[in-house]
Amino acid sequence: MKQTRITDKITYVEPDSMARFSSCAGLIVQSRKQIFIDMNLGESDTRTLLEQRCPDAAVITHFHLDHSVWTHQAEKAGIQVFVPAKEAAFLSSLDHVVQQTAGPLGCGKQWHAFVENTQGFRSLTHFSSYGPDTVFVEFAPEMVVMDTPGHSPGHTSFYFPDDRILFSGDLGLDRFGPWYGWQNCDIRDLVFSLLRLDGMQINLILSSHGGMIQKGISDIFMAKIKEILQREHHIEKQLSKGKSEAQIIENGVFYLHKKKVPQPLKTFLDMWDSVMFQHHKNLLAQGGLTAFFPELSQISNALSQQSRL
Ligand SMILES: [Fe+2]
């Protein structure tokens, strides 16, 4: 793991590897008490850090397993675990996770095995919930909970106004872009979340999968919205050319280079691409993103013109 001290209070921790959706970068906040956020570094490194630092609270931005499976280690160590209230059921039941994710998509058995055996999911019995109105007053009163749904129903980012630092979680500010591969993801909510953050004063972004972002912050949120619009335009164009849904999904919506990926990962990538396709198709049936965000019309029109060239 790599620990980078950002301020007196904030340390950014990156795992050695993020292969196979098994880990993410996290944050140590040392304020009135010590908080770990999304410290999913892999079982051994997380254990080491928990033992070294003995935090008072363990917080996750959302239920996705690459951010959350470490919480059972924190629970076992007697640390108070906080999960977004909207996603509490995902932490307490593997059956619920499967039913709300891969189960209805025909991959329940494979996903159950992967989550339990490869990712090491263990359900929690003792944890607290938090929401957009929560102030972590006993732990870090200066930390602002930012409700940023869309990537997941209760996805949360954390803002530190004293230093204008944002821990963005999994908003997709990395080179891969925003991800919405489960049915409970919502493109409209995600765009709204990005637009909210676009209006904020931010000097540094610490992201879950894209490292530290210091340059181009004033443009990054709109750039990510543009990527979502590009996907929408691409899908609309492919459908108008007579391409089948299966062909579009096989060619990739988010995962563009998946042909040689081994099983069961290939099945999962196709499943997520299929869901992302459906989200776009549903939106297109309602007039597309600009029907809900007229302020994006100019960007959308420019993309249409480019794709006609
Ligand atoms: Fe995620």
Side-chain angles (χ1 to χ4, degrees):
M1 79 183 97
K2 181 183 170 193
Q3 298 186 43
T4 308
R5 195 173 157 91
I6 308 292
T7 68
D8 288 353
K9 291 182 176 173
I10 296 172
T11 301
Y12 181 56
V13 188
E14 295 168 275
D16 291 337
S17 160
M18 293 203 199
R20 293 187 156 234
F21 321 110
S22 60
S23 57
C24 67
L27 214 62
I28 301 171
V29 182
Q30 179 63 65
S31 181
R32 281 190 186 159
K33 290 186 179 176
Q34 187 178 207
I35 303 178
F36 277 14
I37 304 176
D38 280 9
M39 202 57 75
N40 206 44
L41 308 167
E43 195 168 350
S44 158
D45 278 358
T46 295
R47 189 187 310 114
T48 301
L49 206 59
L50 286 170
E51 286 170 3
Q52 280 174 355
R53 305 283 300 238
C54 300
D56 302 286
V59 178
I60 55 166
T61 56
H62 64 303
F63 79 90
H64 292 170
L65 299 147
D66 53 336
H67 295 250
S68 67
V69 291
W70 67 287
T71 51
H72 80 88
Q73 292 176 277
E75 184 191 44
K76 210 170 146 191
I79 297 159
Q80 190 172 0
V81 177
F82 289 90
V83 308
K86 281 184 189 165
E87 301 180 1
F90 288 88
L91 276 297
S92 56
S93 163
L94 177 53
D95 286 342
H96 183 81
V97 171
V98 175
Q99 282 160 16
Q100 295 295 316
T101 55
L105 304 167
C107 300
K109 268 191 177 171
Q110 282 166 291
W111 185 243
H112 190 290
F114 180 76
V115 168
E116 191 168 43
N117 304 330
T118 307
Q119 294 207 312
F121 176 92
R122 300 290 177 268
S123 54
L124 301 186
T125 48
H126 300 293
F127 58 90
S128 306
S129 298
Y130 74 88
D133 299 332
T134 301
V135 179
F136 285 89
V137 68
E138 285 175 60
F139 299 93
E142 75 278 22
M143 183 172 86
V144 179
V145 172
M146 298 287 307
D147 190 26
T148 48
H151 173 74
S152 74
H155 183 279
T156 305
S157 306
F158 293 94
Y159 183 58
F160 300 86
D162 296 347
D163 301 293
R164 295 181 175 173
I165 291 172
L166 178 76
F167 183 63
S168 60
D170 229 354
L171 286 173
L173 306 181
D174 47 65
R175 66 192 167 92
F176 306 107
W179 185 96
Y180 29 93
W182 293 128
Q183 288 172 324
N184 63 9
C185 303
D186 188 310
I187 296 177
R188 282 165 58 188
D189 284 350
L190 183 49
V191 169
F192 186 71
S193 295
L194 292 166
L195 285 172
R196 277 186 74 206
L197 294 174
D198 186 51
M200 289 177 57
Q201 296 280 345
I202 300 169
N203 292 343
L204 176 68
I205 297 172
L206 304 171
S207 73
S208 289
H209 301 289
M212 291 188 267
I213 302 165
Q214 212 161 3
K215 286 183 186 162
I217 290 176
S218 58
D219 299 323
I220 196 165
F221 300 107
M222 288 310 292
K224 294 301 157 185
I225 291 172
K226 193 173 164 186
E227 284 176 28
I228 298 172
L229 274 168
Q230 277 168 330
R231 290 178 194 151
E232 180 179 278
H233 278 257
H234 174 73
I235 287 170
E236 192 175 28
K237 197 173 172 186
Q238 297 301 306
L239 287 171
S240 72
K241 279 182 175 174
K243 282 258 169 71
S244 71
E245 294 187 8
Q247 277 175 307
I248 297 170
I249 293 162
E250 181 58 30
N251 290 338
V253 175
F254 183 90
Y255 299 101
L256 304 179
H257 307 288
K258 60 184 174 180
K259 287 202 168 69
K260 290 178 184 166
V261 172
Q263 291 294 2
L265 290 182
K266 173 70 165 62
T267 298
F268 299 152
L269 302 191
D270 284 335
M271 170 179 70
W272 292 322
D273 266 343
S274 166
V275 173
M276 289 180 72
F277 172 84
Q278 287 303 331
H279 282 306
H280 278 294
K281 196 179 163 203
N282 293 342
L283 255 183
L284 283 166
Q286 299 171 76
L289 259 183
T290 53
F292 300 94
F293 299 96
E295 66 269 42
L296 301 179
S297 297
Q298 214 177 342
I299 302 173
S300 181
N301 291 340
L303 287 171
S304 296
Q305 281 181 349
Q306 277 170 20
S307 68
R308 267 189 232 114
L309 294 175

